[in-house]
Amino acid sequence: MHFDRDFVIRNREVLEGIVARSHRVALGIFALTFGGYGAAVWLWFQDNVWAALVVATLSYLVFRQFRMLALGVARMPLRGDAGAVEALKAIDMALEQDKPHPVLAEVEAHLRALEEAPATQEEREAAGPGDSKKGAGKGD
């Protein structure tokens, strides 16, 4: 486990934003990749085999890395944001130890657990400064 409950409570808003953006970006990359496969098939039918091979190969390489790309693009808007430094550093350290999918799945599991059993006032206070007034509700 890379993240504890206190960390997730402190950085809930930032982590929810990263998860939501990474899903949107992943969907875009997924659509773009299969659009690339479609373009490769069209090029192949146009007797442009080399271009089809290049487009299909590029599409495959992007698809193989789409989780890491999605997570990287999702974190970009937060660079330079002082409130997101702790969360970004923790995610970077987790990515050094593990692949993007398990890291993102762990963050989602923690966020889901907070929705099912919201943080108590004591937990929010013990977690320290940060998002102490928003820990109980989603999107207040």
Side-chain angles (χ1 to χ4, degrees):
M1 303 240 344
H2 303 288
F3 312 106
D4 61 1
R5 184 173 170 92
D6 289 339
F7 167 79
V8 175
I9 292 169
R10 272 193 318 273
N11 297 289
R12 182 177 185 173
E13 189 174 321
V14 172
L15 294 172
E16 285 175 341
I18 290 172
V19 167
R21 273 191 303 278
S22 76
H23 285 306
R24 284 192 307 269
V25 170
L27 180 63
I29 290 172
F30 188 77
L32 185 67
T33 298
F34 280 94
Y37 287 143
V41 169
W42 181 79
L43 287 168
W44 181 46
F45 282 130
Q46 299 299 316
D47 291 328
N48 200 343
V49 177
W50 283 107
L53 183 61
V54 168
V55 170
T57 301
L58 289 174
S59 295
Y60 172 76
L61 292 174
V62 168
F63 181 73
R64 291 284 299 161
Q65 295 297 317
F66 89 96
R67 284 271 186 220
M68 187 58 138
L69 287 170
L71 195 52
V73 171
R75 295 180 317 172
M76 273 186 206
L78 298 173
R79 304 214 185 233
D81 182 1
V85 170
E86 180 186 14
L88 292 176
K89 282 184 180 180
I91 288 174
D92 286 339
M93 289 187 334
L95 288 173
E96 289 176 6
Q97 299 170 2
D98 215 343
K99 294 181 179 181
H101 182 69
V103 170
L104 193 57
E106 182 181 343
V107 170
E108 288 177 351
H110 279 295
L111 291 172
R112 226 178 352 253
L114 281 178
E115 286 178 4
E116 293 170 2
T120 63
Q121 182 65 28
E122 294 82 27
E123 285 179 317
R124 288 192 300 264
E125 290 171 0
D131 200 28
S132 61
K133 64 183 176 289
K134 285 193 177 183
K138 183 178 178 185
D140 290 338

